[in-house]
Amino acid sequence: MSTDKVQIFDTTLRDGEQVPGCKLDTHQKLVIAERLDNLGVDVIEAGFPVSSPGDFNSVREIAKIVKNATVCGLTRAVKKDIEVAAEALKGAKRPRIHTGIGTSDSHIKYKFRSNQEEILKRTFEAVAYAKTFVEDVEFYAEDAGRTNNEYLARVCEAAIRAGATVLNIPDTTGYCLPEEYGAKIKYLRENVKGIEKAILSCHCHNDLGLATANSIAGVVNGARQIECTINGIGERAGNTALEEVVMILKQHPYLNLDTGINTRLLYDTSRMVSEKMGMVVQPNKAVVGANAFAHSSGIHQDGMIKNKETYEIMDPAEVGVSDSAIVLTARSGRAALAYRSKKVGYELTKVQLDVVYKEFLIVADSKKEVKDEDIHQIMKTTNSGAQAVA
Ligand code: KIV
Ligand code: ZN
């Protein structure tokens, strides 16, 4: 069976930058955009050009420097937005306008004080207008997660008739269950007339911690683009984390879905975005967290020392982490202590290890983590006869 390409649409610089306190200046955005291009993302959503002169300028400068990826600008289904985005994207090798409108009952009723027929008309007009500027037009049906599937199919048909190349199906509020979101994508694939002319895209928010699972359910059911951000940053609880979906598809080759991302740059990219945005990566964050490859309980450490396969489902080097870590705590066993002692230069006999381990437990109970300098001190205190060999 041949492998299908899943396009990676990175929105760190748009949805990610909407996070309070994460605002970047143009220079910082350029550095990140360049890195995303090297990482191998297919699309960089560079900003929302009409939102401010600063964002317009950032999109324009990013459009000029990106070599490989498509550069995209967000708009509402509003003529002025589309004109401004088209202007900002002029210098791009591959420009894309991302336009759209809310389609759920609550968006139509409360946000637009409108009705379904009017929204269908605005969908068609916005895409058709964007097509007068660029060939590549993506349409988003905001709050598609809570939009009735039959109506959503009609919206998608209107967008396709107007020339949309990509249909974005956002779970804007992060409400869907994976089964439900997957079924939505399947429904659209099977019921939208002309669907073969467009790519279905997943844009999932993480309000209930399901963004990654929903995006994977989407591609398993036929979507071929995932919208995501580095470290999963984004509105409220964030977006789908790029590093998670990329590694899920890589570690499950039988899905026959590939992203083409240079995964060895993931860790560095995560740190770079975290540092520039001042947004700490939680230590237990999947794939790029400080503890993602750290083992601290005795049972796990013993297994890891015997064979890494026992507790690691991916090689840390594949995501750019130099090595797994055996962290010494009061839950660590003799195997871990012997392993770490050897790393700092002490080859312990079984008898010596017994002596040292007793003292180790006393030290470990008094602090969160036993470091290399503590090991040297323990060797001195116990007078175990262990000789530093290094
Ligand atoms: O979450 C969302 O619906 C969005 C759209 C603007 C694409 O970010
Ligand atoms: Zn979003």
Side-chain angles (χ1 to χ4, degrees), residues 8-26:
I8 293 296
F9 175 117
D10 182 279
T11 183
T12 304
L13 298 175
R14 199 279 296 171
D15 218 324
E17 208 234 7
Q18 287 173 207
V19 175
C22 282
K23 168 116 188 38
L24 301 170
D25 62 30
T26 300

Side-chain angles (χ1 to χ4, degrees), residues 22 32 41 66 79 165 176 222 243 289 310 371:
C22 282
I32 293 178
V41 307
V66 168
K79 275 190 162 181
T165 47
C176 286
E243 60 278 5
T310 51
K371 302 270 177 58

Side-chain angles (χ1 to χ4, degrees), residues 328 336-337 339-346 348 356 360 363 370-382:
L328 292 178
L337 179 59
Y339 173 86
R340 280 282 302 277
S341 299
K342 192 171 172 187
K343 286 231 164 207
V344 294
Y346 301 94
L348 301 175
V356 172
F360 162 78
V363 175
V370 176
K371 302 270 177 58
D372 288 352
E373 57 271 25
D374 300 314
I375 298 178
H376 291 300
Q377 190 54 47
I378 291 168
M379 296 301 168
K380 274 194 207 143
T381 314
T382 54

Side-chain angles (χ1 to χ4, degrees), residues 35 39 230-231 241-251 259 261-272 281 283 285-295 308 312-325:
R35 167 55 69 95
L39 187 65
I230 301 293
N231 301 330
L242 180 149
E243 60 278 5
E244 293 175 13
V245 287
V246 165
M247 289 314 290
I248 289 169
L249 298 182
K250 189 163 185 178
Q251 297 309 111
T259 63
I261 291 291
N262 178 359
T263 62
R264 287 178 186 259
L265 291 179
L266 285 174
Y267 182 77
D268 267 7
T269 309
S270 157
R271 295 296 129 167
M272 175 204 255
V281 178
K285 169 80 189 59
V287 183
V288 292
N291 293 346
F293 298 97
H295 306 267
K308 287 184 168 198
E312 274 183 1
I313 50 118
M314 56 193 155
D315 181 349
E318 278 198 51
V319 301
V321 172
S322 53
D323 207 355
S324 331

